Amino acid sequence: MTYFFETYGCQMNVAESAAAEQRFLARGWTRAEDAEVADLAILNTCSVRATAENRIFGRLGWYAGLKALRAGKPDAKNKSLEKAAAYVRDGAKPLKVAVMGCMAERLLKSLKRDYPVVDYVIGTYAKQHLDELIDDIERESGAERASFRAIPRDGIITEDPVYSFAPVSAEPGAFSTFVPIMNGCNNFCAYCIVPYVRGREVSRPVDAILAELDELTRRGVREITLLGQNVNSYRGARTADGAEVVGFPALLQTIADHLARTESSIEWIRFDSSHPKDLSDELIAVIAQNERVCKGLHLAVQHGSDRILKAMNRHYTKADYLALVERIRAAVPGVAMTTDIMLGFPGETEEDVEETLDLMRRVRFVGAFMYYYNPREGTPAASMANQVPLAEKKRRLQRIIDVQLGITQEELAKRVGVTERVLVERQSRDHADEVLAKTDRDERIAFRADSSLIGQFVTVRFDALNGNTFRGTMVS
């Protein structure tokens, strides 16, 4: 039998999809080339912004048409399902659709009612029950087994009270992968739905993390990204029995020491997401002292106005953030800083926008994820007074984008002429004789090289800048 994953949203969702995929592979399933010819399609969803959910709703409409076709009820208006139509003519089985992730958690009881195309809803804490889902589908297909584990007849897979980390979250054959170290968030920023759909913070034991790294070493992985909604607040026990709780700086140092001691293939360590209020001087020292820890740091500021930061419940001021940036740059020369910036928060004024522009010009981020405030039902900000009109939010956002694009180009241009060690990621989509690689600062560079170098480190000279991608020449 075959499965197909569609993953939306954050890096944690990517890691959780990869971990879930291994459950299917272990049961003898294979990955379908696309949803049209799969026995099961799984949508791993995001609820951070309404636009993310609207995209999923649109996809569910598309799946309704696909499912009808696969059930022998073709939609004459849909001309885009030729592959599925051919599959049906060859005697394909009906399609099953599952929704997991944060949107599934938020709409746990209503999703199947409002979207009958959905067969299974899997909440945030219920991913460990995927074997029951597989049992259910295999039972319907007539598979012969001594026994099957039961799944609720309404298709809603209920959750356990404790988040469960997968032993390994790497896709088969991956040389760069995510390693979840914690889940959930205790910050309750006024605009954010994550604490409500991911729950409170849970940290993974250190020994479980190191065990995963050992497995990744056996697979030849070259780069990892430690994941959490706020990695800086990690508080995990060294062992599963709860002995000696450590913070994120100690974890990061332990990981670096472990990789060095075991002569691991993993040479680069990244981490995300990082909250400014919890980034300590101890963590800065660990970053500075360890070559394996990459020197690209994403530090979401969200806004430059103290008044708006307070309303957002961010627990730092503009001056706090600027001082933190100074300490980071003093300890880690050449660090590349990126950020998140939100415009149009309730009550925001033109003066608040100017404060944000001032912060951007002073920090000079290499890049930024910029977006306008999107109300999420159930969060404090959704019911705040003085909501900014959509047209004004878009206008303010465009001002921010224009300034940041200029800063990005100026900062990247300073890098032309340097020679850097890079990790080759993939073959170029534009030129068959070129590859695309990244630096430890998370920059992208294209250069001529054989695709056999994918997953390897090479040294490259930065010759020119084309948009946000460098052009280079391999020197070793």
Side-chain angles (χ1 to χ4, degrees):
M1 300 191 71
T2 60
Y3 64 88
F4 182 81
F5 270 92
E6 286 189 22
T7 303
Y8 300 85
C10 67
Q11 295 171 325
M12 186 68 81
N13 272 7
V14 175
E16 290 176 343
S17 288
E21 183 175 12
Q22 293 182 63
R23 305 287 281 273
F24 288 93
L25 294 172
R27 293 286 296 267
W29 288 47
T30 57
R31 182 192 297 184
E33 61 184 29
D34 61 41
E36 292 188 41
V37 295
D39 296 311
L40 170 68
I42 310 106
L43 285 74
N44 194 355
T45 61
C46 175
S47 277
V48 171
R49 280 173 285 281
T51 49
E53 290 196 352
N54 290 338
R55 186 179 179 190
I56 304 300
F57 292 141
R59 288 299 290 165
L60 291 178
W62 181 86
Y63 272 104
L66 173 60
K67 195 171 185 180
L69 176 62
R70 291 277 298 273
K73 304 172 184 177
D75 180 355
K77 297 179 182 178
N78 195 333
K79 305 298 183 183
S80 66
L81 299 174
E82 295 180 2
K83 187 179 294 184
Y87 191 46
V88 169
R89 289 194 294 271
D90 290 338
K93 294 181 287 294
L95 171 71
K96 294 289 186 179
V97 176
V99 178
M100 61 184 286
C102 292
M103 180 176 162
E105 179 68 25
R106 193 178 81 82
L107 304 175
L108 196 63
K109 302 301 182 183
S110 64
L111 192 60
K112 274 176 60 65
R113 181 195 67 211
D114 296 339
Y115 290 85
V117 65
V118 178
D119 296 290
Y120 306 98
V121 181
I122 308 165
T124 300
Y125 296 90
K127 295 179 295 298
Q128 61 268 36
H129 297 297
L130 281 173
D131 283 319
E132 285 95 314
L133 180 151
I134 295 171
D135 281 346
D136 202 55
I137 297 173
E138 290 181 349
R139 182 193 301 109
E140 287 194 16
S141 73
E144 294 185 7
R145 289 189 54 197
S147 64
F148 290 94
R149 282 165 288 193
I151 195 171
R153 285 297 88 201
D154 61 4
I156 300 173
I157 304 177
T158 55
E159 62 251 31
D160 292 335
V162 178
Y163 182 86
S164 175
F165 294 93
V168 178
S169 298
E171 293 185 355
F175 60 84
S176 176
T177 190
F178 300 117
V179 177
I181 64 167
M182 62 181 300
N183 179 74
C185 185
N186 295 346
N187 288 316
F188 288 91
C189 297
Y191 53 82
C192 187
I193 200 170
V194 168
Y196 306 97
V197 292
R198 284 276 177 183
R200 305 302 291 270
E201 292 174 357
V202 179
S203 294
R204 190 179 179 190
V206 177
D207 60 354
I209 297 169
L210 298 183
E212 178 169 3
L213 298 184
D214 289 341
E215 173 59 28
L216 297 179
T217 295
R218 285 190 284 271
R219 299 185 186 190
V221 169
R222 311 310 300 275
E223 173 192 51
I224 59 168
T225 301
L226 307 176
L227 287 185
Q229 275 68 47
N230 177 18
V231 292
N232 295 340
S233 61
Y234 173 89
R235 296 285 294 168
R238 285 199 177 273
T239 58
D241 61 9
E244 192 185 354
V245 174
V246 301
F248 184 58
L251 172 69
L252 189 58
Q253 185 63 60
T254 297
I255 288 173
D257 292 343
H258 181 79
L259 296 180
R261 184 171 59 254
T262 59
E263 299 182 350
S264 172
S265 61
I266 301 167
E267 297 191 39
W268 279 359
I269 308 168
R270 303 182 191 273
F271 57 86
D272 202 32
S273 295
S274 194
H275 198 297
K277 76 177 179 66
D278 298 316
L279 200 155
S280 65
D281 290 343
E282 182 184 2
L283 178 56
I284 295 172
V286 173
I287 297 169
Q289 294 165 10
N290 287 278
E291 290 186 359
R292 272 187 164 90
V293 180
C294 292
K295 303 309 183 281
L297 179 61
H298 188 83
L299 191 61
V301 66
Q302 299 297 357
H303 214 279
S305 163
D306 287 348
R307 190 176 66 84
I308 297 299
L309 287 170
K310 183 177 181 179
M312 287 179 168
N313 196 37
R314 292 291 288 176
H315 297 287
Y316 55 83
T317 65
K318 177 180 178 180
D320 293 335
Y321 189 92
L322 291 172
L324 176 59
V325 170
E326 285 187 11
R327 295 198 302 276
I328 293 169
R329 286 184 165 154
V332 190
V335 65
M337 298 196 63
T338 57
T339 197
D340 295 343
I341 298 175
M342 176 193 294
L343 267 293
F345 190 80
E348 181 188 75
T349 65
E350 284 293 331
E351 290 75 17
D352 297 321
V353 177
E354 289 297 332
E355 288 285 349
T356 302
L357 288 167
D358 176 69
L359 181 141
M360 293 166 62
R361 291 176 178 125
R362 293 169 68 176
V363 176
R364 299 191 64 81
F365 298 106
V366 174
F369 179 69
M370 298 163 284
Y371 58 105
Y372 59 77
Y373 166 70
N374 202 312
R376 304 305 291 124
E377 181 183 358
T379 62
S383 58
M384 287 181 178
N386 300 317
Q387 297 282 332
V388 179
L390 179 60
E392 181 60 21
K393 286 193 284 191
K394 290 183 176 180
R395 186 190 70 82
R396 293 176 183 179
L397 175 61
Q398 191 59 55
R399 288 182 63 197
I400 294 291
I401 291 173
D402 291 343
V403 169
Q404 182 56 52
L405 289 177
I407 294 172
T408 296
Q409 286 296 296
E410 291 169 2
E411 291 301 306
L412 292 179
K414 297 175 183 178
R415 299 277 289 161
V416 173
V418 303
T419 298
E420 291 278 353
R421 187 167 181 260
V422 301
L423 177 60
V424 182
E425 291 189 294
R426 60 176 173 82
Q427 192 170 31
S428 170
R429 295 190 180 98
D430 300 323
H431 304 283
D433 62 342
E434 290 187 348
V435 295
L436 190 70
K438 63 180 172 183
T439 70
D440 77 334
R441 291 162 44 102
D442 209 24
E443 301 151 326
R444 297 303 185 273
I445 181 167
F447 54 95
R448 291 187 64 182
D450 190 83
S451 59
S452 63
L453 290 175
I454 292 172
Q456 303 300 317
F457 289 97
V458 298
T459 302
V460 178
R461 183 180 66 246
F462 289 41
D463 298 328
L465 181 64
N466 181 15
N468 289 345
T469 302
F470 291 95
R471 306 286 305 175
T473 303
M474 188 169 67
V475 298
S476 70

